Amino acid sequence: MMTDPQYPPATARHGRPAPPVTATERRQAIAKRSRNILAVVALVLGVAALVVTFVPDVEFVAWPLGGLALILAIAGLVQVKKGTSGDRGLAITATAVAAVALLASAGMLLYSTFLGSGDSGLHLPAVAGDKHAVTFQVTSAGGATVRYGSLSDQRTENAPASTDAWQGQASYNSGSYLLTLTADTRNADVKNEIRCAILVDGKKVAENSGTTIALCTANVN
């Protein structure tokens, strides 16, 4: 069985020899003096994610920032456990801040989708006189089953086999919504290229394509 090499004991006070210092103890001593860069970066990113969560129009950035912060913070904790770096308290703090940022971002998304609708929320189908118009588009040469709306309110229809775009309409006055549009083929034996798009006030905010399924999502305010 292998053991850590022992180094000559240092001169102790009162003439008594100090206990031998092992290689593991020496690495841990070095680690305590070294800065945990991963933990520092994770803490900065976690704080940034927590801040932008509550900033309109840029809150979507909180997800990647918080996710990256959590990954780096966990990596920093691993370094501390291995004894290759110090700042254990900083790594724990960074992990906690990143987790709080992700939870806050998820909470804001759920609030804006289910509670923060304002003025009767997203109207399916569209209501004349609303300030904003939403158009869901699907093109499917072989036909498709279409589901569209928001997370809390969706409709299901069938898009015919055609090169012309099927359209679904919605509208709203104010509030934040996660718009979703899913189209999947109704004929598995036919090679079917499906395209989807979401337009808000005539501006395309999401677009995607696939051979059997296409998914479009857009977070709008």
Side-chain angles (χ1 to χ4, degrees):
M1 186 174 89
M2 297 181 62
T3 58
D4 289 330
Q6 294 185 350
Y7 298 90
T11 303
R13 297 178 180 178
H14 310 298
R16 297 172 60 185
V21 179
T22 65
T24 300
E25 292 172 337
R26 175 161 295 191
R27 286 196 303 270
Q28 292 175 345
I30 294 174
K32 290 180 181 179
R33 296 192 298 267
S34 65
R35 177 64 66 182
N36 194 325
I37 302 299
L38 292 179
V40 173
V41 175
L43 182 60
V44 172
L45 292 178
V47 171
L50 193 58
V51 171
V52 300
T53 296
F54 304 98
V55 179
D57 300 328
V58 296
E59 68 275 4
F60 61 91
V61 181
W63 279 104
L65 285 179
L68 181 59
L70 185 60
I71 293 173
L72 293 178
I74 294 175
L77 284 173
V78 172
Q79 285 189 343
V80 172
K81 185 176 181 179
K82 290 182 177 180
T84 58
S85 187
D87 293 330
R88 180 175 182 272
L90 182 62
I92 294 176
T93 302
T95 303
V97 171
V100 170
L102 288 174
L103 290 174
S105 180
M108 290 296 293
L109 177 62
L110 291 175
Y111 173 81
S112 63
T113 300
F114 294 102
L115 300 176
S117 55
D119 290 345
S120 300
L122 184 71
H123 294 138
L124 286 168
V127 173
D130 280 357
K131 296 179 180 178
H132 303 285
V134 180
T135 302
F136 301 92
Q137 292 182 345
V138 171
T139 302
S140 174
T145 299
V146 180
R147 300 171 186 84
Y148 64 100
S150 65
L151 286 180
S152 58
D153 188 8
Q154 291 193 343
R155 300 290 187 273
T156 300
E157 294 187 18
N158 291 324
S162 173
T163 56
D164 297 328
W166 167 94
Q167 291 190 350
Q169 304 293 334
S171 63
Y172 66 97
N173 284 308
S174 63
S176 299
Y177 308 92
L178 180 61
L179 304 176
T180 65
L181 172 59
T182 304
D184 57 82
T185 183
R186 290 187 285 112
N187 190 347
D189 297 328
V190 177
K191 185 177 181 181
N192 184 16
E193 183 175 359
I194 305 175
R195 294 182 180 275
C196 67
I198 301 176
L199 293 83
V200 177
D201 297 332
K203 181 180 178 181
K204 189 174 293 184
V205 295
E207 185 178 22
N208 203 350
S209 64
T211 56
T212 58
I213 187 171
L215 172 62
C216 289
T217 61
N219 192 5
V220 298
N221 298 312

